[in-house]
């Protein structure tokens, strides 16, 4: 998505940050993060457990310090607009820095949601539900294998949002991507125009 936006409006796409903050819960001497923790919004309720691949957590303060370093370097080379998006708590930690980024680094920070008005088409707005699954079907269909889902769906844990098997499609993924790219590119162009006029 970022590459396609950059192709439309110009820009540099930085490498992905694989670590980020999230909720943390301690039980029996073990730490559980994010969707390890049973939530009411999950498709199926489940006991607190370390989910496969749950090894991404970093303290919010450390994550934001990392972002400060990135902001300083981007500002140094003349970048004026930074767009970041990803896991919900990472987005929140990023957007919390909006005033600081503006005042200290002269940066306008945006997300894929900044200009999105259509709640149904908000990019990556669930947790391996129909939204995220559809995006993956559109860009990396070989990674989606519904044959892995058990008949009783007992292995569909850590999922929040609409049902990924019943409601996902490549077409919906492309619709999500096109909407986000269109609204984000238009928003960036307006922001850049405003910056140039100052």
């Amino acid at each position: 998505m970022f590459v396609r936006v950059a192709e439309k409006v110009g820009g540099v796409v930085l490498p992905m940050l694989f670590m980020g903050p999230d909720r943390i819960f301690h039980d029996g001497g073990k730490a559980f993060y994010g969707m390890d923790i049973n939530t009411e919004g999950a498709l199926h309720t489940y006991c607190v457990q370390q989910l496969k691949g749950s090894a991404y957590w970093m303290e919010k303060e450390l994550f934001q310090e990392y972002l400060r370093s990135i902001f300083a370097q981007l500002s140094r080379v003349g970048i004026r607009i930074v767009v970041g998006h990803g896991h919900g708590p990472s987005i929140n930690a990023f957007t919390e820095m909006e005033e600081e980024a503006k005042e200290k680094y002269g940066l306008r920070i945006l997300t894929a949601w900044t200009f999105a008005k259509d709640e149904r088409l908000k990019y990556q707005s669930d947790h391996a539900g129909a939204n995220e699954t559809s995006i993956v079907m559109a860009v990396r269909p070989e990674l989606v294998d519904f044959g892995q889902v058990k008949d009783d769906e007992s292995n569909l844990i850590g999922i929040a949002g609409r049902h990924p098997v019943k409601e996902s499609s490549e077409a919906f993924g492309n619709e999500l991507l096109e909407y986000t790219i269109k609204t984000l590119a238009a928003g960036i162009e307006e922001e850049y125009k405003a910056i140039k006029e100052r």
Side-chain angles (χ1 to χ4, degrees), residues 3-102:
V3 169
R4 289 169 64 182
V5 170
E7 287 171 349
K8 282 185 174 292
V9 298
V12 176
V13 180
L14 298 177
M16 188 181 307
L17 305 181
F18 287 97
M19 303 294 282
D22 205 332
R23 298 171 298 162
I24 184 168
F25 171 73
H26 291 92
D27 185 46
K30 286 188 74 172
F32 298 93
Y33 309 106
M35 291 300 286
D36 289 349
I37 304 162
N38 185 1
T39 61
E40 290 179 19
L43 188 64
H44 299 295
T45 56
Y46 53 96
C47 296
V48 171
Q49 60 187 287
Q50 183 176 340
L51 300 179
K52 289 181 180 179
S54 183
Y56 58 84
W57 188 84
M58 117 178 350
E59 293 158 335
K60 180 175 144 181
E61 294 76 15
L62 182 58
F63 180 71
Q64 288 182 322
E65 196 58 36
Y66 189 29
L67 291 176
R68 285 183 185 96
S69 179
I70 293 169
F71 292 164
Q73 296 307 309
L74 294 176
S75 176
R76 181 174 178 260
V77 298
I79 300 291
R80 308 297 294 150
I81 298 172
V82 178
V83 184
H85 202 80
H87 187 237
S90 300
I91 297 169
N92 295 337
F94 176 77
T95 57
E96 281 176 17
M97 300 179 75
E98 184 174 4
E99 285 304 312
E100 181 182 348
K102 182 179 179 182

Side-chain angles (χ1 to χ4, degrees), residues 166-195:
K166 298 173 184 171
E167 300 185 56
S168 300
S169 71
E170 180 182 343
F172 182 50
N174 281 317
E175 186 181 4
L176 287 159
L177 286 165
E178 291 305 320
Y179 172 78
T180 303
I181 291 163
K182 178 182 172 186
T183 57
L184 187 53
I188 290 169
E189 286 174 342
E190 285 299 313
E191 291 292 328
Y192 187 63
K193 183 179 173 187
I195 287 169

Side-chain angles (χ1 to χ4, degrees), residues 101-121:
K102 182 179 179 182
E103 292 172 12
K104 191 171 180 182
Y105 306 105
L107 297 172
R108 173 75 166 107
I109 62 173
L110 311 169
T111 73
W113 295 343
T114 301
F115 307 103
K117 304 295 182 212
D118 188 329
E119 289 296 319
R120 187 182 75 86
L121 296 176

